[in-house]
């Protein structure tokens, strides 16, 4: 019903990828759909994190034009509406879409236009989260992304994020970036505890993060689990992609149900609908089948997502009532 951790570049319908590949005359434009699927969709028994990350290459290559970005947001929203999603936060990194002449701001404006068009029928609500990226030599680009998040805050953009190679580029390196986010009054979430350990989550918390993307490695530090419980920090878990990316060794070791039982504010999300061939319904079924999720715990996941959503209190109350009614 609610998805607050969804990368739209990893959630594109294959037909849209094919169409824009042909419009842009890209080398794989004439690939049969099943072969294209094999290059984008990641199997549940994915061999490595590198194999998982390689699945983004084609989607990112086509998302270099204003029209492809706009139409992609619209298409992802159409998919979410067909699944009965009430509210979603779609995230992307504008700096990834500047390879063919777009500026970061043009990329944001394209996504915002797609958001406006996709929500015009009133069937759901959604907002955008702008991601900075871990890496070398992109500090200026990251600060530009943050400034754009501030500029378009409450105009379709709801927050700022940090994504990328967590194990190679520690969260602690981005303290100045998030200090500036706080100065600007931009809410933020941070990918942490996915490919690195508890120290990454602790760094994010010290920046003032009220939400953590993934956070599965908190399980390794009981004191941190207690801290997350006390602070009621929102954890954005994505079980299927965590299994694929080797954030956890197997689904049976995923801590989502344990976190719930310990009273943490854990949520369940899709991460990348196309790459992981998932949906909110599939995520819930997967956790139910493998970890014994109960109906009451499913409801708690949704209510936790409402609490964590980057919305004002009135909008949260309306969403909470809609979730309760629909459930």
């Amino acid at each position: 019903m609610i998805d607050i951790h969804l990368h739209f570049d990893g959630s594109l319908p294959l037909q849209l990828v094919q169409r824009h590949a042909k419009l842009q005359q890209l080398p794989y434009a004439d690939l049969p759909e099943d072969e294209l699927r094999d290059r984008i969709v990641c199997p549940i028994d994915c061999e490595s994190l590198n194999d998982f990350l390689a699945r983004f290459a084609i989607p990112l290559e086509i998302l270099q034009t204003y029209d492809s970005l706009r139409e992609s947001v619209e298409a992802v929203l159409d998919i979410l509406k067909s699944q009965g999603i009430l509210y979603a936060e779609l995230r992307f990194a504008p700096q990834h879409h500047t390879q063919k002449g777009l500026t970061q701001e043009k990329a944001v404006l394209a996504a915002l236009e797609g958001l406006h068009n996709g929500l015009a029928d009133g069937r759901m609500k959604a907002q955008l989260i702008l991601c900075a990226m871990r890496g070398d030599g992109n500090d200026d680009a990251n600060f530009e992304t943050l400034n754009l998040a501030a500029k378009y805050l409450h105009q379709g953009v709801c927050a700022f994020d940090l994504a990328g190679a967590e194990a190679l580029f520690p969260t602690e390196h981005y303290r100045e970036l998030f200090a500036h986010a706080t100065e600007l009054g931009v809410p933020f979430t941070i990918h942490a505890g996915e490919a690195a350990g508890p120290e990454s989550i602790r760094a994010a918390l010290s920046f003032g993060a009220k939400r953590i993307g993934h956070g599965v490695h908190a399980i390794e530090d009981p004191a941190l689990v207690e801290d997350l419980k006390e602070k009621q920090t929102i954890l954005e878990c994505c079980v299927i992609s965590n299994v694929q990316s080797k954030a956890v060794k197997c689904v049976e070791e995923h801590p989502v149900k344990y976190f719930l039982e310990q009273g943490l504010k854990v949520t369940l999300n899709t991460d990348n609908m196309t790459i992981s061939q998932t949906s909110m319904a599939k995520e819930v079924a997967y956790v139910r089948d493998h970890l014994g999720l109960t109906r009451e715990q499913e409801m708690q996941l949704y209510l936790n997502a409402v609490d964590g959503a980057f919305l004002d209190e009135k909008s949260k109350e309306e969403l909470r009532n809609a979730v309760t009614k629909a459930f």
Side-chain angles (χ1 to χ4, degrees):
M1 291 182 185
I2 301 175
D3 194 338
I4 61 171
H5 191 118
L6 188 160
H7 296 264
F8 81 73
D9 50 347
S11 302
L12 307 184
L14 293 177
Q15 295 85 349
L16 183 145
V17 174
Q18 282 185 314
R19 185 162 63 81
H20 278 279
K22 290 178 180 178
L23 286 171
Q24 298 175 45
Q25 299 181 321
L26 297 175
Y28 48 83
D30 295 321
L31 282 180
E33 185 172 326
D34 58 347
E35 189 173 340
L36 185 65
R37 181 186 301 274
D38 288 343
R39 292 176 63 174
I40 296 176
V41 172
C42 188
I44 195 66
D45 57 349
C46 181
E47 293 182 0
S48 68
L49 177 59
N50 286 339
D51 183 24
F52 180 78
L53 294 176
R55 310 294 171 148
F56 287 90
I58 289 177
L60 287 176
E61 190 172 358
I62 73 153
L63 290 174
Q64 298 300 325
T65 69
Y66 189 98
D67 286 345
S68 63
L69 280 163
R70 174 180 53 78
E71 291 181 26
S72 294
V73 173
E74 292 178 29
V76 171
L77 290 173
D78 283 343
I79 293 169
L80 294 173
K81 284 183 283 190
S82 74
Q83 296 171 355
I85 300 298
L86 298 173
Y87 175 75
E89 293 171 356
L90 282 59
R91 63 186 77 190
F92 78 115
Q95 64 190 264
H96 276 166
H97 306 282
T98 60
Q99 298 171 15
K100 295 184 179 179
L102 285 182
T103 62
Q104 283 203 48
E105 185 162 22
K106 275 289 188 182
V108 172
L109 289 170
L112 285 171
E113 184 177 340
L115 186 78
H116 175 77
N117 293 344
L119 299 179
D121 60 9
R123 291 170 56 195
M124 69 173 291
K125 294 182 179 180
Q127 299 187 91
L128 299 177
I129 297 175
L130 306 188
C131 298
M133 295 303 299
R134 302 171 192 265
D136 283 326
N138 67 332
D139 286 349
D140 288 347
N142 283 340
F143 275 93
E144 181 180 354
T145 304
L146 172 56
N147 288 330
L148 287 168
K151 181 174 181 178
Y152 293 102
L153 191 64
H154 308 308
Q155 300 177 55
V157 172
C158 64
F160 181 61
D161 183 20
L162 175 67
E166 182 190 5
L168 297 177
F169 302 97
T171 300
E172 180 60 37
H173 292 179
Y174 300 89
R175 183 171 294 276
E176 182 181 353
L177 181 66
F178 285 94
H180 190 47
T182 299
E183 290 171 0
L184 292 174
V186 177
F188 56 85
T189 178
I190 299 176
H191 280 70
E194 179 187 20
E199 72 286 347
S200 183
I201 302 170
R202 288 196 177 277
L205 294 176
S206 75
F207 298 170
K210 301 296 190 295
R211 279 173 44 175
I212 300 293
H214 302 291
V216 293
H217 288 289
I219 191 71
E220 299 166 9
D221 185 342
L224 176 57
V225 171
E226 283 301 312
D227 195 23
L228 292 168
K229 178 181 177 179
E230 181 180 344
K231 289 183 169 73
Q232 290 290 276
T233 305
I234 302 295
L235 297 181
E236 307 161 2
C237 286
C238 310
V239 174
I240 290 176
S241 82
N242 289 161
V243 173
Q244 291 172 320
S245 68
K246 307 307 183 206
V248 295
K249 291 180 181 178
C250 60
V251 63
E252 288 76 16
E253 294 188 13
H254 200 288
V256 61
K257 188 165 185 268
Y258 173 78
F259 286 158
L260 264 178
E261 292 169 345
Q262 295 303 305
L264 275 67
K265 285 278 189 178
V266 62
T267 67
L268 189 61
N269 311 277
T270 60
D271 208 8
N272 302 283
M273 290 192 295
T274 300
I275 289 174
S276 293
Q277 283 295 278
T278 192
S279 65
M280 281 302 303
K282 287 183 180 179
E283 293 287 335
V284 169
Y286 190 67
V287 177
R288 184 190 304 123
D289 292 346
H290 291 276
L291 299 176
L293 186 75
T294 68
R295 180 80 169 165
E296 291 75 17
Q297 288 171 328
E298 180 185 349
M299 181 63 165
Q300 191 60 54
L301 289 169
Y302 295 139
L303 293 177
N304 289 346
V306 174
D307 290 342
F310 290 119
L311 290 166
D312 60 56
E313 289 306 317
K314 180 181 178 181
S315 297
K316 285 186 180 183
E317 188 59 31
E318 291 173 352
L319 183 58
R320 189 175 292 109
N321 290 338
V323 167
T324 304
K325 182 178 179 180
F327 196 79

